[in-house]
Amino acid sequence: MSEQRKPAEEYVVIRHRPGYRLRRTAILLIFTVVAAIAGYATGLAQGGFRFSSAEESNQVLEDEVEALREDYRKARQQLINLERGRVIDEQALNQARKTIVELETRIVSLQSDLTFYKNIMAPSETSKGLQVDSFTLVPTRNQDSYDFKLVLTQVGNNKSYISGVVAVNVIGLRDEEKEVIALRDLSEDIADLGVKFRFRYFQDVEGSLKLPEEFEPLEIQVVAQAEGRKSSQAERTFNWDDLTEN
């Protein structure tokens, strides 16, 4: 009886690739942090942030910030460990550093949002009701043109909606004479003297404006008037140079 032949043994040759494990760790770190940020941002959008649906407490936002800080601390430690390695893919290391910077920027943004929400949910006694929170200007590529954003808030009692109109005027000089120009005359995005609003927590009014020739802007005046049971008025003036100094 002939002896049955055994199949030939197979051998797998594993080549040593310097820095492979470190590169893989760096890439996993990058995807983990990016996924965490993306997941958090998606959660905010689905939740109707910034408190637009909102029975969410400040504690929820603080927990999110703390979780992001923990991710940041872990990422920093991972980066330190990677930098200590003798062999590492330079591209992976640079990407890890870039991710750290993005994470730091995100934390600063969250801290700013947290302050914004705290002011709405737990205001001081002197700052309740309808408020003109902020007005921002960003220059565009076109000369004398800007993107603007006005933020109105209802501070304190947010259980019911507040509605009314808000008017914005640009005050400046032309031919050394004082001139007041309504925002609707400077922006194609605004049709009326008073822009209607209705919200529980906050509302943004956004658009673009273009200054007329030989007009020197000095201030932006915002007057918001709430109607009905919550009738009240909020007024605030912004210095043009302060808004455009950056």
Side-chain angles (χ1 to χ4, degrees):
M1 186 180 205
S2 61
E3 189 176 347
Q4 188 176 1
R5 249 184 190 181
K6 296 182 180 179
E9 295 182 354
E10 295 182 356
Y11 295 90
V12 178
V13 178
I14 301 177
R15 295 181 179 178
H16 176 63
R17 288 181 287 175
Y20 171 75
R21 182 174 297 178
L22 291 173
R23 287 197 297 273
R24 184 177 63 180
T25 302
I27 293 170
L28 287 175
L29 164 65
I30 293 165
F31 279 108
T32 299
V33 173
V34 171
I37 294 175
Y40 178 69
T42 301
L44 293 185
Q46 293 177 346
F49 244 49
R50 316 187 236 181
F51 283 98
S52 55
S53 65
E55 255 51 29
E56 305 219 30
S57 65
N58 284 322
Q59 186 61 45
V60 173
L61 189 56
E62 289 174 347
D63 290 344
E64 295 289 355
V65 172
E66 185 57 36
L68 195 58
R69 282 177 174 162
E70 182 62 27
D71 287 342
Y72 169 72
R73 285 192 288 268
K74 290 179 181 178
R76 284 288 301 172
Q77 187 58 50
Q78 290 273 14
L79 183 60
I80 291 172
N81 294 340
L82 290 172
E83 287 177 328
R84 287 175 178 170
R86 291 184 178 179
V87 181
I88 185 170
D89 188 289
E90 188 66 24
Q91 183 177 1
L93 179 59
N94 289 337
Q95 185 61 50
R97 287 174 176 153
K98 180 181 177 181
T99 301
I100 293 295
V101 172
E102 291 173 350
L103 199 53
E104 289 174 336
T105 302
R106 182 61 180 156
I107 289 175
V108 171
S109 176
L110 283 175
Q111 289 283 29
S112 176
D113 284 347
L114 180 58
T115 300
F116 177 83
Y117 303 136
K118 279 186 173 181
N119 288 338
I120 293 177
M121 305 301 292
S124 65
E125 290 297 324
T126 58
S127 61
K128 291 185 177 181
L130 177 63
Q131 302 287 324
V132 178
D133 182 78
S134 62
F135 193 98
T136 56
L137 284 173
V138 179
T140 68
R141 294 182 178 180
N142 298 325
Q143 186 177 5
D144 294 328
S145 294
Y146 301 83
D147 291 330
F148 67 83
K149 181 178 179 179
L150 166 65
V151 180
L152 302 175
T153 60
Q154 180 180 202
V155 180
N157 181 12
N158 315 104
K159 293 182 179 180
S160 60
Y161 284 85
I162 187 171
S163 60
V165 294
V166 57
V168 180
N169 295 316
V170 179
I171 303 172
L173 298 174
R174 180 148 49 178
D175 296 329
E176 299 183 354
E177 295 289 334
K178 182 178 179 179
E179 185 171 351
V180 179
I181 306 177
L183 183 59
R184 74 166 184 181
D185 296 329
L186 302 175
S187 174
E188 296 180 354
D189 303 303
I190 305 298
D192 302 311
L193 282 175
V195 179
K196 293 182 179 180
F197 63 79
R198 185 175 185 272
F199 61 92
R200 285 182 61 187
Y201 294 93
F202 77 97
Q203 182 170 324
D204 297 339
V205 178
E206 299 180 86
S208 300
L209 66 85
K210 181 174 177 57
L211 298 175
E213 294 182 2
E214 299 181 359
F215 178 78
E216 179 187 354
L218 300 176
E219 296 176 330
I220 290 182
Q221 180 188 56
V222 181
V223 180
Q225 178 67 54
E227 302 169 342
R229 186 171 59 85
K230 291 191 173 184
S231 178
S232 61
Q233 180 173 295
E235 182 176 344
R236 190 170 175 184
T237 300
F238 300 88
N239 184 281
W240 183 275
D241 289 339
D242 292 341
L243 296 175
T244 57
E245 62 182 3
N246 293 328

